[in-house]
């Protein structure tokens, strides 16, 4: 977030104290009681949804061997189901009500999940938030995935790269489309710039929600063609 916007939000937070996205109680963006109602789902294969083994038989979200031919995503981390009420509220309040402080709550939930399943980002990995088209980012004023990624980078030692992937097409929102139309809608929507920054790196792509996965796969495909070694996908919910 740019410093001016950040300052503005800090002032807004002072004037309007946070209220819990789950129960409406004043004081926090998401209270401890509501946190306890969240149900984490174990990491699973991006393509088929089966629990996928990692080291010591803990599921760690790696794409199963038989699915690797069908997706450019190597591992998938996504702690929650989108249909869970407080999760949907959190994402909705960040995106549409512009409650920016929620990005820190979501980043913490991700960190907690990573440590619970003993998932470590590989050496040489970089965090890349899924970009919005510049026109849409201007209308909305911010990119929610970038806010979450910035909060995640602040509290872990991964580096964030905001400028290696751009959205060249302002596509129709995937949510308006049927599953089979989504793939066609998104092809050619991304471009990798500064390929030297991603060469031989593991790119951790971050988006708020995975639905069919076409958007993440298209971005992954573009990054791999530009020289990235492996692509992980992280979303808050799916
Ligand atoms: Zn609450
Ligand atoms: Zn699979």
């Amino acid at each position: 977030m740019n410093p001016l916007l950040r300052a503005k939000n800090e002032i807004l937070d002072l004037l309007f104290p946070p209220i819990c996205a789950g129960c409406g109680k004043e004081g926090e963006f998401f209270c401890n009681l509501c946190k306890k109602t969240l149900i984490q789902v174990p990491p699973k294969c991006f393509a088929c949804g089966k629990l996928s083994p990692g080291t010591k038989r803990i599921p760690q979200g790696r794409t199963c061997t038989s699915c690797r031919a069908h997706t450019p995503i190597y591992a998938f981390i996504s702690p929650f189901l989108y249909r869970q009420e407080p999760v949907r509220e959190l994402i909705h309040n960040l995106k549409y009500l512009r409650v920016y402080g929620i990005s820190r709550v979501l980043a913490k939930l991700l960190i907690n999940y990573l440590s619970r399943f003993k998932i470590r980002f590989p050496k040489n990995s970089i965090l890349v938030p899924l970009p919005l088209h510049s026109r849409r980012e201007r209308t909305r004023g911010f990119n929610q995935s970038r806010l979450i990624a910035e909060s995640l980078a602040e509290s872990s030692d991964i580096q964030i790269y905001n400028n290696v992937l751009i959205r060249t097409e302002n596509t129709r929102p995937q949510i308006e489309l049927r599953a089979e139309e989504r793939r066609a809608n998104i092809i050619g929507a991304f471009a990798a710039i500064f390929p030297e920054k991603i060469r031989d790196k593991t790119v951790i792509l971050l988006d708020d929600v995975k639905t069919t996965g076409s958007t993440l796969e298209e971005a992954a495909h573009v990054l791999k063609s530009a020289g990235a070694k492996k692509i992980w996908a992280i979303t808050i919910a799916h």
Side-chain angles (χ1 to χ4, degrees), residues 45 47-50 63-64 66-67:
C45 169
C48 71
K50 280 191 206 139
T63 302
C64 25
S66 52
C67 287

Side-chain angles (χ1 to χ4, degrees), residues 168-232:
T168 49
E169 302 271 338
N170 198 4
T171 53
R172 281 174 63 192
Q174 295 285 78
I175 200 107
E176 292 172 3
L177 304 169
R178 287 199 305 271
E180 64 270 24
E181 294 171 325
R182 292 183 179 193
R183 179 99 204 101
N185 183 50
I186 204 76
I187 284 178
F190 296 101
I193 47 174
F194 305 118
E196 68 282 1
K197 290 193 181 172
I198 57 170
R199 194 161 299 134
D200 298 323
K201 299 258 169 69
T202 296
V203 176
I204 319 274
L205 264 178
L206 190 144
D207 200 7
D208 51 353
V209 181
K210 172 206 179 214
T211 45
T212 62
S214 323
T215 309
L216 285 161
E217 284 185 323
E218 178 60 16
H221 178 70
V222 166
L223 290 163
K224 279 194 100 169
S225 310
K229 190 166 92 188
K230 277 179 184 154
I231 313 292
W232 288 31

